[in-house]
Amino acid sequence: MNSNPPATPSPAGQGSPPALFVENVSHSFGEKKALDEVSLVVPAGKFTVLLGLNGAGKSTLFSLITRLYDNVSGEIRILGHDVRRHPSEALRQLGVVFQSRTLDSDLTLAQNLHYHAALHGIGTKMARERAREALETVSLAERAGDRIRSLSGGQARRVEIARSLLHRPRLLLLDEPTVGLDIGSRESVVGIVRGLVERNGLGVLWATHLIDEISRDDNVVLLHKGRVLFSGTVPGMLAAAGESDMRRAFRRMTGTEEMEAA
Ligand code: ADP
Ligand code: MG
């Protein structure tokens, strides 16, 4: 399972590797199997929705991709780099927005970003430039000197997105980034990330249980009780379920009602 070469572009030169490649990944917490032979691909320049109810295994998968947990079975590659065998090459290409908030609320936006840039070994001058650029990307440049605690929930999320971009990753993982946000903030956060996919060609894996965050052109990976029930396009999922809308397709495929935002 770990016998393939590490692979940036293949020797044959045919095509670049996907932003994320996951094959046959399983993970258990004691007796509890949280992920069961999960395989999925996030192409570069594609907004890919990891759709699943609470407890489906979304955050566990993110913990394996980010190497918070070691993946002992299966294979995970970021831009062709195996996360177990070449962790620094792989993680260099990865930006993450975790489910729980991780900004220091007593520091300013700029300080939070500079601190994170330093962790990535980015020098002071470049850190300033990258932070300014990243805050512009999330339309918060004018708030750079304000403390995080003065921001709304949606604005804080946008700072976390800015922070995830400082080292210029090619793959972005976001774990339920809009939970608890009002509708306007949600649209703003989704819009920023969709812009990164369209303009910068990032591969995005967006974990959510909110079906209305899916757009017609997205790829969808339906995760249920640790297993991938469907992986493909929106029309593909509708056709596979024999339904005309995604809510019904979700219900049909999982045999459950989807959960809505609290
Ligand atoms: P999601 O992010 O989709 O809500 P999780 O990955 O958090 O799902 O959880 C998947 C399953 O694994 C759930 O049944 C959850 O209770 C279990 N689980 C998650 N983290 C742990 C842990 N640290 N210890 C034990 N069980 C866990
Ligand atoms: Mg989760």
Side-chain angles (χ1 to χ4, degrees), residues 47 137 185-199 206:
F47 191 96
T137 302
S185 303
R186 270 177 68 187
E187 282 171 3
S188 154
V189 168
V190 180
I192 286 164
V193 176
R194 288 191 181 282
L196 291 167
V197 172
E198 280 154 29
R199 283 194 303 276
W206 174 282

Side-chain angles (χ1 to χ4, degrees), residues 59 99 175-176:
S59 296
Q99 189 163 2
D175 197 355
E176 310 231 27

Side-chain angles (χ1 to χ4, degrees), residues 95-149:
V96 191
V97 175
F98 288 104
Q99 189 163 2
S100 48
R101 310 285 160 105
T102 56
L103 295 168
D104 188 325
S105 56
D106 289 324
L107 298 182
T108 67
L109 281 66
Q111 284 169 332
N112 268 277
L113 267 49
H114 294 164
Y115 177 66
H116 189 79
L119 286 182
H120 275 278
I122 300 171
T124 312
K125 184 161 176 281
M126 188 179 278
R128 287 224 177 82
E129 285 164 19
R130 295 269 180 99
R132 190 180 333 109
E133 178 188 290
L135 286 177
E136 273 163 17
T137 302
V138 301
S139 305
L140 284 172
E142 75 286 358
R143 303 290 304 269
D146 294 350
R147 286 184 204 282
I148 298 295
R149 65 169 71 258

